[in-house]
């Protein structure tokens, strides 16, 4: 596959589209990644993370763009800084563009894995084949390229577009070995930040490779801190590697990262590490200076998700200490991620079933409810998230009513 800059000219951008329409603007933005002007680089990176990969969706323009990005990872130009208003507002330092490009490739890989939903490459190839409707598909894409405003709504609703999206998934799946090859030299880069992001991107891309051989030994030899070490373990987690040996690591953060592996879902030691880490959720959130890209948000959110997936209602008594700590940490904007899973287990509510009204909770269930009642931050009446969560679980939404339900009869 061609990952050189001439992909700008070898791709028929009129036949590709992104989240906002035809991708005929792609060559200009991609060239901007190599610009000497910081504002041009910023706009180009923003384009990748909005038009080319939009809210977890990949488009026909995504495969050639990903290959172009892979092709410039080694260019000196991507050492230049690129600003990020959100990171800067949080006090974070300006980073070289190379880090943003690695993050983009990792996000693309995860989006493909999620959208593929367990389908194999042959299955995607079948879904991407329009068969006898190929002529109709060509006409559809031509209409999109021509900017047919009158038929725009009909075009986006045409089931034929499903084959186009599946083709994008197929092409990215096929491209994964090439993308991995472009990232591999960065695993031993002199800059620890680059090594860490390259490790994370390698783990994400390995999700698209059958029986991947995740060789992170070079990065491991150069790892200088907890952040890099955790990124290596998490790359093994994401790439399907064996993390069992890391459960005995002296660093709790490394042990907890290892415990996230799906291969250890039935391992009581791994479950114990998740529980232990969540007895101090604020400390878990503060483990990393440069949080590994495996975590989409607070570290504790991923730990909670893993613990809930490996637990049942029969574990509710053992999980009460964890829930109490989470309930004390949670706020109105994090209550869904912090509380729903464990509260659902305690109430015996199936994940996808409508919850019946909770009228006579057990003593254990009342203990869970009291933990929610006791956190003043959860009861900010300007934010409805807590009320929505409680209602969905069959619980009263007013603090006084929930306290009455939680009171010992």
């Amino acid at each position: 596959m061609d990952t050189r800059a001439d992909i700008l000219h070898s791709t028929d951008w009129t036949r590709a589209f992104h989240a906002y329409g035809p991708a005929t603007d792609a060559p200009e933005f991609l060239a901007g990644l190599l610009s000497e002007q910081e504002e041009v680089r910023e706009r180009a990176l923003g384009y990748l993370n909005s038009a080319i990969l939009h809210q977890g969706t990949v488009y026909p323009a995504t495969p050639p763009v990903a290959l172009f990005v892979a092709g410039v990872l080694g260019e000196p130009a991507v050492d230049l800084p690129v600003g990020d208003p959100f990171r800067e507002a949080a006090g974070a330092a300006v980073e070289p563009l190379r880090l943003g490009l690695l993050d983009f490739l990792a996000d693309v890989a995860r989006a493909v894995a999620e959208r593929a939903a367990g389908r194999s490459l042959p299955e995607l190839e079948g879904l991407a084949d329009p068969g006898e409707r190929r002529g109709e598909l060509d006409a559809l894409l031509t209409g999109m390229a021509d900017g047919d405003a009158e038929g725009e709504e009909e075009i986006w609703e045409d089931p034929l577009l499903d084959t186009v999206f599946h083709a994008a998934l197929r092409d990215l799946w096929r491209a994964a070995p090439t993308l991995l090859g472009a990232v591999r030299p960065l695993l031993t880069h002199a800059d620890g930040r680059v090594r860490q992001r390259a490790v994370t991107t390698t783990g994400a891309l390995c999700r698209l490779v059958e029986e991947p051989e995740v060789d992170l030994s070079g990065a491991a030899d150069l790892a200088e801190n907890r952040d890099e070490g955790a990124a290596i373990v998490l790359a093994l987690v994401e790439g399907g590697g064996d993390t069992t040996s890391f459960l005995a690591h002296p660093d709790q953060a490394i042990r907890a990262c290892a415990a996230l592996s799906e291969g250890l879902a039935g391992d009581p030691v791994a479950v114990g590490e998740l529980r232990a880490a969540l007895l101090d959720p604020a400390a878990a959130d503060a483990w990393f200076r440069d949080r590994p890209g495996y975590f989409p948000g607070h570290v504790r959110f991923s730990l909670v998700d893993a613990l809930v997936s490996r637990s049942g209602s029969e574990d509710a008594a053992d999980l009460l200490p964890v829930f109490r700590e989470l309930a004390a940490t949670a706020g109105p904007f994090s209550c869904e991620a912090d509380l729903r899973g464990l509260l659902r287990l305690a109430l015996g509510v199936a994940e996808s079933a409508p919850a019946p009204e909770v009228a006579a909770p057990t003593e254990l269930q009342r203990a869970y409810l009291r933990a929610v009642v006791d956190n003043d931050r959860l009861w900010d009446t300007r934010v409805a998230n807590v009320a929505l969560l409680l209602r969905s679980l069959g619980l009263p939404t007013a603090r006084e009513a929930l306290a009455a339900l939680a009171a010992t009869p």
Side-chain angles (χ1 to χ4, degrees):
M1 286 186 175
D2 187 0
T3 63
R4 297 170 301 168
D6 64 4
I7 199 169
L8 293 174
H9 310 293
S10 62
T11 299
D12 183 358
W13 297 104
T14 66
R15 302 286 292 175
F17 60 88
H18 50 54
Y20 303 117
T24 49
D25 54 355
E28 178 182 354
F29 279 106
L30 294 181
L33 292 172
L34 303 177
S35 172
E36 294 182 356
Q37 301 179 50
E38 184 173 355
E39 63 272 18
V40 175
R41 297 194 301 274
E42 288 179 13
R43 287 197 299 270
L45 184 60
Y47 174 79
L48 299 185
N49 292 310
S50 58
I52 301 301
L53 178 66
H54 184 77
Q55 297 180 353
T57 298
V58 298
Y59 295 85
T62 312
V65 168
L67 286 167
F68 176 87
V69 168
V72 301
L73 283 176
E75 294 289 331
V78 299
D79 282 325
L80 294 173
V82 60
D84 183 327
F86 297 104
R87 287 181 56 84
E88 291 171 14
V94 174
E95 295 184 333
L97 176 59
R98 183 177 283 112
L99 301 187
L101 299 182
L102 286 167
D103 289 344
F104 167 73
L105 291 177
D107 290 342
V108 166
R110 294 188 182 108
V112 172
E114 293 299 321
R115 297 287 176 174
R119 298 184 183 94
S120 65
L121 178 56
E123 288 175 309
L124 290 176
E125 289 171 339
L127 291 169
D129 183 2
E132 297 178 353
R133 301 190 66 188
R134 188 173 301 278
E136 295 177 59
L137 179 58
D138 288 341
L140 182 69
L141 294 176
T142 299
M144 295 185 71
D146 292 342
D148 182 5
E150 291 185 4
E152 184 174 353
E153 185 173 339
E154 294 180 7
I155 287 175
W156 283 103
E157 293 178 354
D158 195 314
L160 258 182
L161 272 186
D162 288 343
T163 64
V164 178
F165 282 101
H166 285 122
L169 295 176
R170 174 204 64 198
D171 292 346
L172 286 163
W173 205 286
R174 289 173 175 172
T178 300
L179 302 179
L180 271 171
V183 172
R184 188 171 293 116
L186 301 180
L187 294 172
T188 53
H189 195 277
D191 186 335
R193 297 172 301 171
V194 174
R195 290 197 302 270
Q196 181 175 330
R197 303 292 177 87
V199 163
T200 296
T201 304
T202 295
L205 286 167
C206 280
R207 297 177 66 176
L208 310 183
V209 178
E210 288 190 23
E211 300 181 4
E213 295 183 6
V214 189
D215 182 7
L216 302 175
S217 56
D221 291 340
L222 295 171
E224 299 174 341
N225 52 47
R226 170 190 278 178
D227 294 3
E228 286 194 71
I232 289 169
V233 173
L234 292 166
L236 292 172
V237 168
E238 198 161 12
D242 184 5
T243 61
T244 305
S245 63
F246 291 100
L247 292 176
H249 197 279
D251 187 336
Q252 183 185 32
I254 301 297
R255 295 197 303 272
C257 288
L260 291 169
S261 171
E262 292 184 6
L264 297 176
D267 189 309
V269 175
V271 173
E273 288 296 338
L274 295 174
R275 291 183 183 180
L278 287 170
L279 288 174
D280 193 346
D285 286 338
W287 278 341
F288 308 112
R289 182 177 180 181
D290 182 8
R291 187 176 63 209
Y294 175 92
F295 298 108
H298 289 304
V299 170
R300 71 179 191 268
F301 294 165
S302 295
L303 300 178
V304 170
D305 285 345
L307 181 59
V308 169
S309 71
R310 302 173 192 189
S311 305
S313 295
E314 67 278 6
D315 300 308
D318 293 332
L319 293 173
L320 177 59
V322 170
F323 184 80
R324 282 174 168 154
E325 296 299 329
L326 286 167
T329 302
F333 295 106
S334 70
C335 62
E336 182 76 19
D338 281 320
L339 306 181
R340 173 181 289 279
L342 293 178
L343 191 54
R344 177 179 59 77
L345 292 180
L347 296 174
V349 176
E351 187 169 7
S352 57
E357 180 182 352
V358 178
T362 66
E363 176 53 37
L364 177 60
Q365 290 170 341
R366 289 197 295 271
Y368 271 77
L369 301 185
R370 285 194 291 272
V372 177
V373 171
D374 289 344
N375 181 351
D376 291 338
R377 289 193 310 278
L378 290 173
W379 299 98
D380 185 338
T381 56
R382 296 168 297 178
V383 183
N385 295 359
V386 175
L388 294 172
L389 169 63
L390 295 173
R391 182 180 296 116
S392 71
L393 293 173
L395 295 166
T397 59
R399 188 177 193 179
E400 296 78 7
L402 189 65
L405 187 63
T408 303

